[in-house]
Every structure is written in C-alpha cells, then in structure tokens.
Amino acid sequence: MGSLKISPSTSTSSPKKNSRTLHDLFVQENPHFAIPCSPASGNEELLSAISYCTFVFTFTDPSESPAQRDSKRCHLSRLISILKSSKKPVHGKVLEPLVIMISANLFRPLPPPANPSAISDLAEEEDPISTFSPLWSHLQIVYEILLRLVNCQEHNILREYMDHSFLRNLLALFHSEDPRERESLKNVYHKIYSKFISDRSFMRKIMTDVLLNYVFETEKHPGVGDLLEIWGTIINGFTVPLKEEHKLFLMRVLIPLHKTKGMLVYHRQLAYCVSQFVQKEPMLGGVVVRGILKYWPVTNCQKEILLIGELEDLVENIDPDQYRKLSLPLCTQITKCINSWNSQVAERALYVWNNEQFVKMALIGTVEVFTVIVEGMEKNLKRHWSKNVRQLTESVKVMLAEMDPDLYSKGVMDMETKESMANQEDMKRKKRWEIIELEAAKNQFFNPQRYIRVSH
C-alpha cells in the first residue's frame, strides 16, 4: 500500500490580505500543518483533518511546542466526532489516507524497556513494568478512530487496506509498556479477529509465535496477559470436537506457559484458557494436569499456591474415568505441598480437601494413594512447625478416618512398617561403616605410612 500525499485544503480568500492573524503565523511557522477553514464538503473536511493529523509528534523533541500538540489533539477529536456523527461508511477516497494516518501514529519504534533486567514475578496489580507513554493524549483518540473504523466499515473494503503487514504491526504494539495502550489494542485486535473471518487462522498463528518466543526465548513481554485474554474469548468460540490445531496449541503453548518466571502476572488469564479446553473436552484434563505437575516450581511459593488452586478447579471438569490414573501423581504433589515448610502453601494444599470432587478422586485411587496421603498427614502432625497447619491437618485426618477407618488404619500401619524398615536399614548402614572404620584403623596400625625423605 503506497503512501498517499494529501493536499490540505486552502483557506478561503479574505479581502484583507495584509491582515496577519495568529492562525497565519502558526501556519507560516509550521509548514507541516494546514488548518482547514470551512471546507466545502464532509469528505474534504475529513481529508483536511487527516492531513493535519498525519504528522507525528515525539513528545521528546524540544522544538515541539505544546500549542502544536494541543492543536493536533483538537483535530483528532474533531475527526472522531465527524466519524461518530456520520451514519454512512467512510468514503473510499477518505479510507486509504485515514488508514495511512492511523499507521503513521501507531506503528512507531517503541522505547526500550524501563528496566530491561527485571522479570516480573509479582501479582498483576503490582506489575513493575508499566510505563505511561507521553504520546497517549494522541494515541488514545487514534485507537478510538481505528475501533470506529473497524466497527462501521464493511470487511471486504477494509481488508484491502488492513493487510497481513498491518496486522503484524498491530500485534507488535503489545510490547508497549503502557497498560492503557494495551487495553485499547486488545479491544481493537479482538474486534478485527471477529470481523476478519478469512484472516483468523493467520491472526492465531502470529499470536502463537509471539507466545512461543516468550516461553522458549525471552521470557520478557508485557502483553502476554492481554494476548491470553484475547485467546480466552477465541477458545470459548471453538466448536466440539476440537480441531487438532487447537489441541496442539494447548499442549505446546498454554501448558509450557506455566513454567515461566513471570507466570504470576498472567496466571488468571492462562488458567481461564486452560479451563475452557478442559470444559469442552474433559479428556484433555489428564494432559493438562500432568503438564502442570511437570513444570511444578521448586522454590517459588507464590506460584505453588496459584497452581494448587488451578489443579483444584481442573478436578471439577476432568473426566471421572481419568480419576484412577491421575489420583497417585496428583495426590502425591498435593501431599508434598501439605508438608511444605511454607505455611501458606501447606494451608492452601490442606484446603483442597474441602473439595468434594478431589476427595472423590482420592478415594477412588488405590491403597498406594491413600498410603501417601496418610503418611503426609502423620508427618505434619509430628513435625510441622506451624500450629495452624497442624490444626488443619488434624481436621483433615479426622475427616479421612471417618470416611474409611479401615483404609486409614492400614495406611498408618504401612507407614509404620516403612519407617521401621528404614530404621533397620539405617542401623545396618551404621554397622557397616563401623566395620569399615575398624578395618581402616587396623591397616593403619600394622602398615604405618612411610614418608620418603627428599634430599635438597
């Protein structure tokens, strides 16, 4: 799409040609601008305003005056006002320069990250990488114009000017650290996805590429949560049975997104996307649970708390036929969390036992599963430092013992047998070391170490 030169409309002639107004001085001093006066038609008024707004301010150049910036904002406001008041689609000869103006304002080099070495591990509301752009006073209206254009214009006409290159450039703007821009961008991009039916596959692909690059290359992208929010509405619209392409997205993109250091920032949106898949096809629950367990954090307690909650929600939608297969790995991980020295993790894991579906899954499991659970409970009661954790553990123990007294008693017996065998093995190991040390002492007594004297 080539650039289009637009000739600004000229002012109407005045009988007082020698009169110098502020308007004249402004135009003479700033040849980039031509302020239209009483254009002949609506299209001419639009073209004139578009011409004026195509020039982009940096907001960092000291030669740019605040008056010039305010004037452009007024023209942008007038432009969106004209578009909103018009009940007809934008005329063909106006559409191309309008898209060029939008592109000129939006598609610009983004500033470097405010803190390039920081990786966000905080909660969403504490995200430290948010930076407010000084350009927003102009960009806000440009996004409104773009959204108005997408809403009101026919897809087949708009598609001629918003090609794949335009969509790629739009997606790249999610790198902006200004949350206001990403919010507007999210609305526009989703609306385009809804309207550009023939381009949906392409739009999904380029979004997938961005997420894959984040997971396996950079782990730095401020707009992952916004992209996942778009994905959530897209996944919600998938038909059942799911296509293989969509299942691969779940396994190759969404599940690995659980392993990144910045997961806390976008976990809410990620969990929603995953739950949508499992609700549509409960058989996918096994794949998701095993994937989350695979990427379970070792030292990040905040991530553990979030993942425990996600697993609890998934159990609600998993196909019950998979309970027997998942009960051992799932209960083993929850039990490890129950024994965590971090009291918040331990308490969150204990609260999982309030979930009827989780209890049902655990009881469906084999004796081996129950042995693991009982061992974790008894270990907490004997050794955990937190009084609250011990009290919660006692409550869960009472509940489990009442539900199946024989199975719980057998679990305690198995645990005691296991501990007894471990103690015996430990005693044997100590005796073997004592024999080795004794033999080593004898060898040293009968064969004293000889030192070789070295003459100098």
Side-chain angles (χ1 to χ4, degrees):
M1 183 168 59
S3 61
L4 183 69
K5 295 182 179 178
I6 309 167
S7 301
S9 58
T10 57
S11 301
T12 55
S13 58
S14 171
K16 298 181 180 180
K17 292 185 178 180
N18 294 328
S19 173
R20 302 297 296 270
T21 65
L22 288 175
H23 168 277
D24 299 327
L25 291 172
F26 182 79
V27 173
Q28 183 179 3
E29 182 182 353
N30 302 280
H32 295 289
F33 301 99
I35 302 178
C37 296
S38 304
S41 68
N43 286 340
E44 288 301 319
E45 185 179 6
L46 277 171
L47 285 170
S48 180
I50 291 168
S51 174
Y52 190 95
C53 297
T54 301
F55 181 80
V56 179
F57 288 101
T58 65
F59 281 75
T60 56
D61 188 345
S63 66
E64 298 173 357
S65 72
Q68 295 173 12
R69 297 169 187 161
D70 291 342
S71 180
K72 179 178 176 180
R73 178 175 171 79
C74 290
H75 278 70
L76 285 168
S77 299
R78 187 177 67 174
L79 188 55
I80 186 64
S81 177
I82 294 171
L83 292 173
K84 286 182 176 180
S85 62
S86 176
K87 297 181 180 179
K88 298 179 181 179
V90 178
H91 192 274
K93 76 172 185 176
V94 175
L95 189 57
E96 183 174 2
L98 186 58
V99 174
I100 291 173
M101 184 276 291
I102 292 170
S103 301
N105 280 274
L106 297 184
F107 304 152
R108 77 265 182 213
L110 295 173
N115 189 0
S117 62
I119 299 176
S120 178
D121 283 329
L122 304 177
E124 186 179 60
E125 62 270 12
E126 298 175 306
D127 184 4
I129 60 176
S130 295
T131 304
F132 296 100
S133 171
L135 281 70
W136 183 243
S137 60
H138 291 174
L139 293 177
Q140 180 182 13
I141 307 175
V142 175
Y143 276 111
E144 289 180 22
I145 293 170
L146 177 56
L147 185 61
R148 177 71 183 178
L149 199 61
V150 174
N151 280 328
C152 300
Q153 203 69 24
E154 289 291 333
H155 158 257
N156 55 345
I157 297 174
L158 201 58
R159 180 63 183 77
E160 297 178 17
Y161 305 100
M162 296 182 182
D163 55 9
H164 284 184
S165 176
F166 184 94
L167 296 175
R168 282 186 185 277
N169 289 333
L170 205 60
L171 185 66
L173 293 175
F174 279 103
H175 274 284
S176 171
E177 292 186 354
D178 191 330
R180 301 170 300 181
E181 178 168 14
R182 296 199 306 271
E183 181 66 24
S184 295
L185 185 60
K186 178 178 61 181
N187 295 332
V188 169
Y189 199 84
H190 183 259
K191 189 64 183 179
I192 292 176
Y193 182 89
S194 301
K195 200 161 186 175
F196 287 28
I197 298 175
S198 60
D199 291 309
R200 287 181 179 177
S201 178
F202 172 77
M203 295 177 75
R204 289 197 303 269
K205 181 183 181 304
I206 58 177
M207 283 194 292
T208 299
D209 291 343
V210 170
L211 294 176
L212 285 172
N213 183 68
Y214 169 78
V215 173
F216 297 106
E217 295 292 337
T218 64
E219 287 200 14
K220 294 178 182 178
H221 194 301
V224 171
D226 302 285
L227 289 174
L228 288 174
E229 200 163 328
I230 296 172
W231 267 109
T233 58
I234 293 173
I235 296 166
N236 192 31
F238 287 164
T239 56
V240 178
L242 294 170
K243 295 180 181 178
E244 193 65 23
E245 167 202 347
H246 305 327
K247 295 180 183 178
L248 288 175
F249 174 74
L250 169 67
M251 292 182 282
R252 295 178 180 177
V253 182
L254 293 183
I255 293 176
L257 274 167
H258 287 83
K259 74 175 183 177
T260 67
K261 294 179 180 179
M263 188 204 74
L264 294 175
V265 177
Y266 58 77
H267 180 261
R268 178 178 58 82
Q269 296 92 333
L270 175 61
Y272 177 78
C273 290
V274 171
S275 68
Q276 288 292 305
F277 271 104
V278 178
Q279 286 176 29
K280 288 180 179 293
E281 287 198 10
M283 288 298 293
L284 291 172
V287 176
V288 173
V289 169
R290 291 187 185 92
I292 293 175
L293 295 179
K294 176 184 176 182
Y295 295 121
W296 200 269
V298 178
T299 57
N300 193 323
C301 297
Q302 288 179 297
K303 285 181 70 174
E304 284 191 279
I305 292 170
L306 289 176
L307 293 180
I308 291 169
E310 185 175 357
L311 288 177
E312 183 180 357
D313 292 337
L314 287 170
V315 169
E316 298 280 349
N317 298 307
I318 289 174
D319 190 336
D321 293 340
Q322 299 189 55
Y323 280 177
R324 193 171 297 276
K325 295 179 181 178
L326 294 175
S327 59
L328 181 58
L330 190 51
C331 289
T332 300
Q333 185 60 61
I334 293 297
T335 302
K336 287 180 181 178
C337 293
I338 287 172
N339 296 144
S340 172
W341 287 110
N342 183 286
S343 60
Q344 290 181 324
V345 174
E347 289 175 16
R348 183 64 186 86
L350 285 163
Y351 280 124
V352 170
W353 288 99
N354 288 330
N355 188 301
E356 293 182 8
Q357 289 298 113
F358 182 84
V359 174
K360 181 181 177 182
M361 182 195 67
L363 294 178
I364 286 177
T366 60
V367 176
E368 182 185 7
V369 177
F370 218 78
T371 301
V372 170
I373 296 168
V374 170
E375 185 177 342
M377 297 294 170
E378 297 297 325
K379 183 179 177 181
N380 259 18
L381 291 172
K382 292 178 182 178
R383 305 171 192 170
H384 206 285
W385 65 269
S386 171
K387 181 180 178 181
N388 287 339
V389 171
R390 291 197 303 271
Q391 289 176 343
L392 284 171
T393 304
E394 181 64 37
S395 299
V396 175
K397 174 185 174 179
V398 171
M399 179 191 73
L400 293 174
E402 289 177 352
M403 292 178 69
D404 199 327
D406 295 336
L407 200 55
Y408 197 94
S409 298
K410 188 179 187 310
V412 173
M413 291 175 60
D414 290 344
M415 182 195 70
E416 291 174 350
T417 303
K418 185 178 178 181
E419 287 181 351
S420 176
M421 292 175 63
N423 289 335
Q424 291 177 13
E425 197 63 39
D426 191 46
M427 291 175 64
K428 290 178 182 179
R429 190 182 302 110
K430 287 180 180 179
K431 286 182 179 180
R432 285 197 295 269
W433 273 112
E434 288 174 1
I435 294 170
I436 292 170
E437 289 173 354
L438 187 60
E439 290 295 326
K442 288 179 180 179
N443 288 338
Q444 187 176 10
F445 178 77
F446 289 111
N447 299 299
Q449 189 174 8
R450 295 180 180 179
Y451 297 93
I452 300 175
R453 291 182 180 179
V454 180
S455 58
H456 297 280

